[in-house]
Amino acid sequence: MATCRLFLVGILFLSRSLGQILEDDHTQRYSRSVVNMDDLLKLDDDLAINLEKYADRLSQKAKTIRRSIHEMKERHQIYSASTKFLVSPFDTFSLIRHMQADWLMWQVFMEKTVGEDELSYLESKKSTLPKDHDFYDAADGIRRMQGAYEMLASDIANGLLDGVQYNSSLGSVDCLALGQFLIKQRRWMIAEQWILAGIKAKDPQTEMELLRGPKKAYMYRILGQVRMEQKNLEGALEAYQVALKYSPHDSEIFQEYQLLEKETFTLTGTEPIEDEDKNLDDSDESINLPPCCSGRCEVPRKLKRLYCVYNHVTAPFLRLAPIKTEILSIDPFVIILYDMISPEESTLIRSTSKGHMLPSATVVVDQTADDYNTATYRTSKSVWYDNDFSETTLKLTERLGDAIGLDMNYTEMYQVINYGLAGLFQTHLDMLLSDKTRFNGTQDRLATTLFYLTDVPQGGGTYFPGLNITVFPKAGSALFWYNLDTKGNDHMDTLHTGCPVIVGSKWVVSKWVDDQGQEFRRPCIASSSTTKHLVSVEKLIV
């Protein structure tokens, strides 16, 4: 319960009077969403064109120099072959003028900076390039994805993601960057995986790789240092020996190798390896990212005999157009509503939101409305819309009200969310209050709806640890559950995780229904066995 409450305090989003709410964070945080990836690719293309112009200017300058050298050589040959050179005033004057002025001109020409316009353009774009926090987000996303799906660094580097092979890979410089990121976090074991993956990576021998790619000696040196931190002195010695083979004249590597060799020979006992988790700030990661995000965990027997129905009872209109409903759990009540959003509506919501999304921010319950913080356990971008923001949101509100039988006048605003690289939402509860404070007149979240706007090829499921079920995004469907039981108390089995996205773009729209205002739609009852008397969607239980 205590662990859950730590996450609860960060989930309250205070409503404002605006029809559209943007979180108070003005940084791009590219890794938090894929919505800006096309902009980043466009910028990369523009910078490549700018670099091409710079190369053309350098090439033109080189051509001018070579052409002039050729002309000077030709003139020198003519002068050398001429018997009149020593007596011709014209040739003598020309030579003196050439030696007095032309070489000074060449000095100026050589010193003149090439591509000042291109350099200025690059300087103007530096503010829009990804920053250190963008790399941190990306690297941390890979780490969490690797942990959640129990993947090896070598598999990820070779494009094998949770059993699916892709025609892509990471280069040695990418693997090394991930390894160094993990070293800073003192995650020695996983850092060693990534350093080894970088050593084994087969980089193409392109000019860029030769320019930026790490040397083998350097990578083996880092490997040796990581193994030393794990008290694996023999492995560290082997790594340093290989490093010296690649760079036998590197004095720093040789000195480090000598010190390590001396320590190995003088060590009398084996020191225990420090528990890696003791060095971590988030040592409860195994709780926050459960291993069942893959959906391959066994579903409890009590959840295997449920059913699908056509809901035509929660609204008169549904008699003409019933909603296909799949019941996943009765207690807590969890269902999937199908065909809730059309492809056209989904496209419209995404295109409208793209230009306004900013990193998802949270506020602690007892903080002021203006005290927002970018979430560290929720890697996404989002934007908020009122029910009447557009014709699409109005239709969606009416459709959802018909499907669940609750009063949509008592709901929070829509939150449109797009998850980025390995985007996730760590294990949390949606209700905000404890049972002690909920019944004093304070508003809380009775129910949650997640509309899935897109399919996700891999990952991105919503996992309920208490039920051991994982729901994967299916475009047009909506996942609905009650956060409070039939008596209005916390339902702890609604604890859920937004699992990391492996491949794809995960777009969802969240909608929270308030408990206040639903007294006649979903009144407190003794148990779920009497739900047939309710007006809300639970009356589907048979």
Side-chain angles (χ1 to χ4, degrees):
M1 182 67 178
T3 303
C4 299
R5 289 299 174 196
L6 291 176
F7 290 101
L8 286 178
V9 295
I11 305 172
L12 175 61
F13 294 86
L14 301 182
S15 298
R16 298 181 180 180
S17 59
L18 300 176
Q20 174 180 327
I21 296 293
L22 301 179
E23 286 82 353
D24 294 348
D25 191 318
H26 300 291
T27 58
Q28 276 283 7
R29 304 302 286 251
Y30 285 107
S31 299
R32 295 294 179 103
S33 169
V34 300
V35 295
N36 299 118
M37 289 300 101
D38 51 352
D39 297 331
L40 204 57
L41 283 172
K42 177 62 168 58
L43 176 59
D44 188 52
D45 187 52
D46 291 343
L47 291 174
I49 293 173
N50 183 67
L51 189 61
E52 186 178 15
K53 292 179 180 178
Y54 179 71
D56 289 340
R57 293 184 183 274
L58 288 175
S59 178
Q60 186 61 43
K61 185 171 184 176
K63 287 180 181 178
T64 301
I65 295 173
R66 292 192 185 97
R67 186 167 57 249
S68 299
I69 291 173
H70 179 71
E71 292 173 354
M72 285 188 282
K73 286 182 177 180
E74 284 186 339
R75 184 172 57 181
H76 183 75
Q77 291 174 355
I78 293 173
Y79 285 167
S80 300
S82 174
T83 57
K84 300 179 181 179
F85 173 68
L86 296 177
V87 295
S88 171
F90 304 105
D91 293 337
T92 302
F93 175 80
S94 180
L95 177 62
I96 291 174
R97 186 212 56 77
H98 166 68
M99 298 298 294
Q100 182 270 334
D102 286 356
W103 284 111
L104 295 178
M105 179 274 293
W106 279 115
Q107 180 183 358
V108 173
F109 184 79
M110 293 167 66
E111 290 176 347
K112 184 178 181 181
T113 303
V114 178
E116 291 183 349
D117 292 341
E118 288 74 27
L119 288 171
S120 297
Y121 179 79
L122 179 59
E123 183 67 27
S124 70
K125 293 298 181 181
K126 283 173 63 175
S127 61
T128 61
L129 294 174
K131 305 296 189 295
D132 289 344
H133 58 252
D134 292 301
F135 171 78
Y136 179 94
D137 286 345
D140 205 47
I142 294 292
R143 174 187 67 81
R144 293 172 188 260
M145 179 183 72
Q146 182 180 358
Y149 298 99
E150 300 179 331
M151 292 186 282
L152 297 175
S154 57
D155 288 342
I156 299 175
N158 291 321
L160 181 61
L161 305 180
D162 197 29
V164 180
Q165 182 66 55
Y166 293 90
N167 187 26
S168 59
S169 61
L170 293 176
S172 58
V173 65
D174 299 316
C175 296
L176 177 61
L178 279 164
Q180 291 174 324
F181 165 79
L182 293 161
I183 288 171
K184 291 180 181 179
Q185 294 191 330
R186 302 180 64 82
R187 299 176 183 271
W188 308 116
M189 294 177 64
I190 188 173
E192 180 178 356
Q193 281 191 38
W194 280 105
I195 299 300
L196 286 170
I199 290 173
K200 296 176 182 178
K202 297 179 180 179
D203 292 325
Q205 294 300 305
T206 62
E207 288 293 332
M208 182 58 70
E209 294 299 332
L210 294 174
L211 179 65
R212 68 171 184 176
K215 304 297 183 184
K216 290 288 187 181
Y218 177 74
M219 297 190 73
Y220 275 103
R221 178 187 182 186
I222 298 297
L223 178 62
Q225 293 172 353
V226 170
R227 287 176 173 175
M228 285 175 61
E229 293 290 347
Q230 298 178 82
K231 312 304 180 187
N232 180 9
L233 299 185
E234 290 186 5
L237 275 175
E238 291 178 1
Y240 269 99
Q241 289 168 355
V242 178
L244 285 171
K245 288 182 180 179
Y246 281 103
S247 186
H249 303 297
D250 191 310
S251 59
E252 291 185 358
I253 296 179
F254 183 70
Q255 290 176 2
E256 291 176 9
Y257 172 71
Q258 283 187 315
L259 290 174
L260 176 60
E261 191 176 37
K262 181 178 179 181
E263 181 181 355
T264 303
F265 289 143
T266 57
L267 193 64
T268 57
T270 303
E271 299 181 23
I273 298 177
E274 186 177 3
D275 186 359
E276 186 175 9
D277 282 347
K278 292 180 181 179
N279 298 317
L280 306 182
D281 294 330
D282 52 346
S283 58
D284 59 346
E285 181 174 300
S286 59
I287 299 175
N288 302 334
L289 294 176
C292 291
C293 278
S294 62
R296 291 189 283 267
C297 291
E298 185 177 357
V299 178
R301 182 176 299 176
K302 67 177 182 178
L303 298 178
K304 290 183 178 181
R305 303 181 70 178
L306 298 179
Y307 45 89
C308 297
V309 297
Y310 277 101
N311 174 14
H312 61 273
V313 297
T314 52
F317 177 73
L318 298 189
R319 296 176 183 176
L320 299 175
I323 294 176
K324 186 189 298 182
T325 305
E326 181 179 358
I327 299 178
L328 301 180
S329 170
I330 293 176
D331 189 23
F333 189 70
V334 183
I335 60 175
I336 300 178
L337 306 168
Y338 289 95
D339 301 322
M340 289 292 289
I341 303 181
S342 69
E344 293 76 18
E345 290 172 329
S346 173
T347 300
L348 186 60
I349 292 173
R350 287 182 284 130
S351 60
T352 302
S353 306
K354 180 180 176 182
H356 307 291
M357 302 184 79
L358 289 173
S360 298
T362 59
V363 62
V364 179
V365 175
D366 58 359
Q367 289 179 328
T368 64
D370 293 325
D371 198 2
Y372 282 79
N373 305 285
T374 299
T376 57
Y377 53 84
R378 184 186 191 189
T379 52
S380 62
K381 287 185 177 182
S382 54
V383 64
W384 296 79
Y385 295 120
D386 275 328
N387 289 352
D388 58 357
F389 173 74
S390 67
E391 185 178 350
T392 300
T393 56
L394 282 171
K395 289 181 178 179
L396 197 59
T397 302
E398 182 180 9
R399 197 176 300 145
L400 179 60
D402 287 346
I404 62 177
L406 297 176
D407 192 335
M408 300 304 290
N409 292 311
Y410 301 93
T411 62
E412 295 185 29
M413 297 178 1
Y414 286 103
Q415 187 185 26
V416 183
I417 309 167
N418 179 243
Y419 289 86
L421 188 150
L424 58 85
F425 198 160
Q426 291 183 12
T427 307
H428 63 283
L429 291 165
D430 280 1
M431 56 272 203
L432 305 168
L433 307 173
S434 66
D435 290 341
K436 182 183 296 186
T437 57
R438 180 175 299 106
F439 299 105
N440 63 5
T442 306
Q443 184 173 285
D444 203 356
R445 291 171 173 169
L446 170 68
T448 298
T449 307
L450 279 182
F451 297 91
Y452 296 116
L453 302 185
T454 57
D455 293 321
V456 178
Q458 261 193 295
T462 303
Y463 173 66
F464 294 86
L467 304 175
N468 214 23
I469 58 176
T470 306
V471 180
F472 292 98
K474 180 176 175 57
S477 65
L479 177 64
F480 172 87
W481 69 87
Y482 280 107
N483 298 304
L484 308 179
D485 63 19
T486 55
K487 296 181 181 179
N489 297 313
D490 284 351
H491 214 313
M492 300 307 296
D493 281 344
T494 62
L495 190 76
H496 58 284
T497 304
C499 294
V501 176
I502 300 177
V503 174
S505 177
K506 179 181 178 181
W507 282 86
V508 300
V509 178
S510 62
K511 184 69 168 175
W512 288 287
V513 180
D514 301 330
D515 55 354
Q516 294 184 10
Q518 311 298 337
E519 292 83 358
F520 296 103
R521 300 293 185 101
R522 205 238 191 187
C524 293
I525 57 177
S527 68
S528 59
S529 62
T530 57
T531 56
K532 62 181 180 179
H533 301 297
L534 296 178
V535 179
S536 59
V537 70
E538 283 167 293
K539 68 190 309 179
L540 293 176
I541 298 174
V542 296

